[in-house]
Amino acid sequence: MKYRRANIKGGTYFFTVNMADRKNTFLVDEFDKLRVSINKVKHRHPFVLDAMVVLPDHLHLMMTLHEGDNDFATRIMLFKSGFSRQIPKTEKINSSRESKRERGIWQRRYWEHLIHDETDFAKHVDYIHYNPVKHGYVERAVDWKFSTLHSYVKKGLLTADWGCAEESLSMQLFGER
């Protein structure tokens, strides 16, 4: 089956990438390995990492590709496989995955969304940074260490008290109800 994907060169894309076993916590347990994998991909296939949050069982990220480039699929595949190669093989692998030489760490598919404008960009950055609060891991977004929120605070783009659960920051702001 061929999936329809956005095909905009130099576009900005939002992704959700999930672990195959949603009870798995490899992403935060082995965060340094994930960081190494993503940085290797960035070095070989440059892109701007606009925002990212890593939760125990999934991650959200936004990347902007360089002009003339629309190959986000290779980047996602490379960082997933690069991370997987660093993790000991303890997962159960079904015959379909085995025949394709796949590990059983990641879900095969991922969610991708082409960012349309500045408002869409801002909403998705907020969604990414608020995600640990939404899932109940922290009450203040800044308390989640696996997030680019910290660089946004450092640059003065957001304040350290942004995204607190007790704030009137509504999930409707992020397109959810």
Side-chain angles (χ1 to χ4, degrees):
M1 172 177 268
K2 179 103 170 129
Y3 289 89
R4 286 184 54 168
R5 296 274 186 206
N7 195 20
I8 304 299
K9 294 182 177 189
T12 299
Y13 298 88
F14 166 87
F15 301 94
T16 300
V17 185
N18 295 307
M19 302 301 290
D21 177 359
R22 296 300 297 263
K23 294 180 185 111
N24 195 318
T25 60
F26 279 150
L27 293 177
V28 293
D29 296 343
E30 304 290 351
F31 178 75
D32 290 335
K33 292 175 181 172
L34 179 64
R35 182 191 336 244
V36 165
S37 179
I38 290 171
N39 285 334
K40 281 182 180 179
V41 174
K42 278 180 70 174
H43 180 73
R44 290 186 302 186
H45 303 277
F47 64 92
V48 175
L49 182 63
D50 299 299
M52 181 171 170
V53 68
V54 177
L55 299 171
D57 63 345
H58 71 284
L59 63 85
H60 299 289
L61 69 97
M62 269 181 36
M63 71 168 69
T64 299
L65 301 178
H66 293 288
E67 190 175 322
D69 187 354
N70 62 355
D71 190 9
F72 59 79
T74 293
R75 289 164 174 87
I76 300 292
M77 182 267 303
L78 287 172
F79 90 68
K80 286 169 63 175
S81 62
F83 176 75
S84 297
R85 280 192 294 277
Q86 298 177 74
I87 304 298
K89 291 184 180 182
T90 58
E91 76 277 8
K92 195 172 185 180
I93 300 172
N94 65 29
S95 59
S96 173
R97 285 185 184 266
E98 190 173 355
S99 70
K100 293 177 174 80
R101 299 179 57 212
E102 294 177 349
R103 298 279 308 269
I105 294 176
W106 299 96
Q107 287 184 7
R108 285 183 172 155
R109 310 278 181 246
Y110 51 86
W111 170 257
E112 147 258 323
H113 167 77
L114 173 66
I115 301 298
H116 300 288
D117 55 30
E118 289 181 27
T119 301
D120 196 24
F121 183 96
K123 284 183 179 180
H124 280 83
V125 169
D126 287 348
Y127 178 85
I128 288 168
H129 290 151
Y130 192 75
N131 218 249
V133 177
K134 172 190 165 193
H135 286 285
Y137 292 114
V138 291
E139 291 199 18
R140 299 175 340 129
V142 75
D143 292 336
W144 189 253
K145 71 179 189 174
F146 309 108
S147 173
T148 56
L149 173 66
H150 304 284
S151 64
Y152 277 66
V153 170
K154 198 177 288 184
K155 292 175 186 173
L157 300 171
L158 294 172
T159 61
D161 63 348
W162 180 92
C164 296
E166 59 275 354
E167 271 187 5
S168 64
L169 189 60
S170 166
M171 285 311 294
Q172 291 179 25
L173 174 68
F174 309 121
E176 296 183 356
R177 293 185 187 261

